[in-house]
Amino acid sequence: MQTNFNQTQLSDPATRTSNEILRSCVHCGFCTATCPTYRVLGDELDSPRGRIYLIKDMLENDRVPDDATVKHIDRCLSCLSCMTTCPSGVNYMHLIDHARDYIEKNYTRRWDDRALRWLLARIVPYPQRFRWALTAAKLARPLRRLVPDARLRAMLEMVPESIPKVSNNDRPQVFPPKGERRKRVALLIGCAQRALNTDINDATIRLLTRHGCEVVVPKGIGCCGALTHHMGKAEESHAMASANIRALVRELDGGGLDSIVINTSGCGTTVKDYGHMFRNGPIAADAERVSAIARDVTEVMADIGLEDAGHADPLRVAYHGACSLQHGQQIRAQPKDLLKSAGFDVVEPRDSHICCGSAGTYNLLQPAISQQLQSHKVATIEAVRPQLISTGNIGCMMQIGSGTELPIVHTVELLDWATGGPKPRGLSKLRSGRPARRGG
């Protein structure tokens, strides 16, 4: 793609990077075939190629974003399926991130949109605040049909039936390995996940220590910054990310770390990108050190190998590959291979590359599109007649789980169970046999 940025514009590192990304696009349109919003809406401007044209025009002309441009950019899930499909290697992730940052700085949203985004940025990344908000929302949930704003109704629909107690495992501490130490790893404990499902971190710690890992929960660790980053709030997201970098570097320079283990794939995609995010700043070297050893928990376990993995029931598991895992991190085989080696019958639904509609706060900000994607995802999962669903991202668990009666648990919970841990609480309502297909 030909671009026409002037030298003053190219003196800005973000614009210079976007220029390089735009020039790598060859207009082939392969991305449209795998873009969820294009499939749902059928509008070229709601495809990656269409958004690329909008971003190019906006950035080249230093233009104040108009309502139409913002609408189409906001509709992007950042599922990154287009990056998997693209034959030219267009780094759409960095381009859309720059566009959102530009919009945040140059566009005045309607008051209610500003208020909602401000609220989400101030609550969701902070576990204690999020717990309070969930408790209040749970009381208001019976009245959700009376709420006129679809986005607020979506928030009330998201509230789980029960809010788990705070896990003591999420406090800064060190968990010794069982037997000889193989690795020393830091666990990124997440933010929203700590309020929504504490079983995931608990299972991760048990699984890792059982396989010879010393697990460190570093002091000062918190939200990775992904939630605010995807809303274009760069200063807030970078502040959270830099706090994590400082905390992790202290461990690197102290007891040392073999890996930084992440069990929320949306966080993993962001942490692995810290090196790019801070490439022009004073902590560039430290950020790159952190990114270089960031690993999804299934990457770590695939490297170690499961031991004594015969304790779980051989259930039929539908595996859902979270977009941030299969597209953002290009991790596809390891989770399925681990589940198979643990004795599960693993099946994958049709259109497994298509997003479920969660995408961080997307299901709260774009509930209509999100609902359509959820319905499609649930239908394709139920069509393969599993007994349960497994995935590696809390957002996907909440999104898919609210649309089906099938139990859904984190992949690490199943691996923990298979190697001697407790049966996941999420399987307490597991049905015997396999569910029938819809309509049959």
Side-chain angles (χ1 to χ4, degrees), residues 24-45:
S24 66
C25 178
V26 297
H27 320 270
C28 67
F30 283 14
C31 57
T32 60
T34 58
C35 175
T37 51
Y38 181 71
R39 286 168 62 113
V40 168
L41 301 169
D43 187 336
E44 172 77 10
L45 295 178

Side-chain angles (χ1 to χ4, degrees), residues 315-378:
L315 302 173
R316 183 175 171 88
V317 179
Y319 174 73
H320 165 71
C323 294
S324 45
L325 198 60
Q326 64 168 316
H327 302 309
Q329 301 179 55
Q330 297 294 302
I331 297 172
R332 298 185 183 87
Q334 293 96 319
K336 291 179 285 188
D337 289 345
L338 286 165
L339 288 170
K340 290 174 185 176
S341 68
F344 297 105
D345 176 17
V346 180
V347 292
E348 199 165 9
R350 177 174 55 88
D351 293 338
S352 59
H353 61 287
I354 296 295
C355 185
C356 68
S358 171
T361 58
Y362 189 92
N363 55 352
L364 305 179
L365 295 171
Q366 302 285 340
I369 301 172
S370 176
Q371 179 63 47
Q372 292 183 67
L373 292 171
Q374 181 204 53
S375 297
H376 177 75
K377 181 61 67 176
V378 167

Side-chain angles (χ1 to χ4, degrees), residues 1 22 28 37 42 72 113-114 116 132 173 181 184 187-188 194 213 218 223 263 270 299 346 373 378 388:
M1 178 180 289
L22 289 166
C28 67
T37 51
H72 294 298
D113 197 16
R114 290 202 309 275
L116 181 58
W132 292 335
Q173 59 194 295
R181 190 178 89 173
R184 187 174 193 267
L187 178 63
L188 194 77
R194 278 190 277 163
C213 293
C223 177
N263 56 22
T270 298
E299 288 183 284
V346 180
L373 292 171
V378 167
L388 70 147

Side-chain angles (χ1 to χ4, degrees), residues 169-170 185-194 200-202 204-205 208 215-218 220-226 240-241 243-245 247-248 257 259-272 274 290 294-297 329 410:
N169 288 342
D170 290 337
V185 303
L187 178 63
L188 194 77
I189 53 177
C191 53
Q193 180 172 278
R194 278 190 277 163
I200 298 169
N201 283 343
D202 293 349
T204 302
I205 293 165
L208 291 171
V215 180
V216 182
V217 178
I221 208 77
C223 177
C224 69
M240 294 174 182
N244 277 347
I245 291 168
L248 291 164
L257 293 173
S259 300
I260 296 161
V261 179
I262 304 163
N263 56 22
T264 301
S265 60
C267 301
T269 302
T270 298
V271 175
K272 289 182 178 182
Y274 277 177
V290 168
R295 298 286 185 272
D296 184 75
V297 63
Q329 301 179 55
H410 196 287

Side-chain angles (χ1 to χ4, degrees), residues 62 129 144 161 167 209 226 246 272 293 310 315 330 382:
D62 291 325
R129 297 180 196 175
R144 61 190 180 279
E161 292 182 7
S167 172
T209 55
R246 289 192 297 271
K272 289 182 178 182
I293 62 168
L315 302 173
Q330 297 294 302
E382 292 183 347

Side-chain angles (χ1 to χ4, degrees), residues 18-220:
S18 290
N19 178 52
E20 294 168 0
I21 296 169
L22 289 166
R23 283 177 172 267
S24 66
C25 178
V26 297
H27 320 270
C28 67
F30 283 14
C31 57
T32 60
T34 58
C35 175
T37 51
Y38 181 71
R39 286 168 62 113
V40 168
L41 301 169
D43 187 336
E44 172 77 10
L45 295 178
D46 286 311
S47 73
R49 184 171 62 179
R51 293 185 181 108
I52 285 171
Y53 280 116
L54 291 172
I55 294 168
K56 175 181 180 292
D57 177 65
M58 179 176 67
L59 296 179
E60 272 188 343
N61 296 295
D62 291 325
R63 183 167 58 79
V64 174
D66 57 36
D67 293 346
T69 297
V70 174
K71 176 181 72 173
H72 294 298
I73 298 299
D74 283 352
R75 283 177 174 175
C76 176
L77 292 136
S78 279
C79 70
L80 308 181
S81 179
C82 55
M83 288 180 61
T84 297
T85 309
C86 180
S88 302
V90 176
N91 196 318
Y92 180 82
M93 178 174 77
H94 291 158
L95 184 65
I96 196 73
D97 286 347
H98 182 201
R100 287 177 171 144
D101 181 33
Y102 183 92
I103 288 170
E104 183 71 13
K105 292 173 179 174
N106 295 280
Y107 178 73
T108 302
R109 295 181 180 274
R110 212 172 69 177
W111 72 268
D112 56 336
D113 197 16
R114 290 202 309 275
L116 181 58
R117 287 167 176 268
W118 180 90
L119 195 65
L120 290 172
R122 295 298 179 281
I123 291 178
V124 180
Y126 303 94
Q128 190 56 53
R129 297 180 196 175
F130 195 26
R131 283 177 176 276
W132 292 335
L134 289 171
T135 302
K138 190 176 179 181
L139 297 174
R141 188 175 180 180
L143 303 175
R144 61 190 180 279
R145 297 185 186 280
L146 303 177
V147 177
D149 192 315
R151 296 169 301 180
L152 296 178
R153 287 200 304 274
M155 290 183 186
L156 296 177
E157 292 284 355
M158 187 197 76
V159 178
E161 292 182 7
S162 61
I163 302 166
K165 295 180 180 179
V166 176
S167 172
N168 289 329
N169 288 342
D170 290 337
R171 294 183 292 104
Q173 59 194 295
V174 178
F175 297 89
K178 308 295 183 184
E180 183 181 353
R181 190 178 89 173
R182 296 179 179 179
K183 293 177 181 287
R184 187 174 193 267
V185 303
L187 178 63
L188 194 77
I189 53 177
C191 53
Q193 180 172 278
R194 278 190 277 163
L196 293 167
N197 189 328
T198 57
D199 291 346
I200 298 169
N201 283 343
D202 293 349
T204 302
I205 293 165
R206 287 193 301 266
L207 180 66
L208 291 171
T209 55
R210 191 180 300 124
H211 286 80
C213 293
E214 180 179 85
V215 180
V216 182
V217 178
K219 184 178 181 181

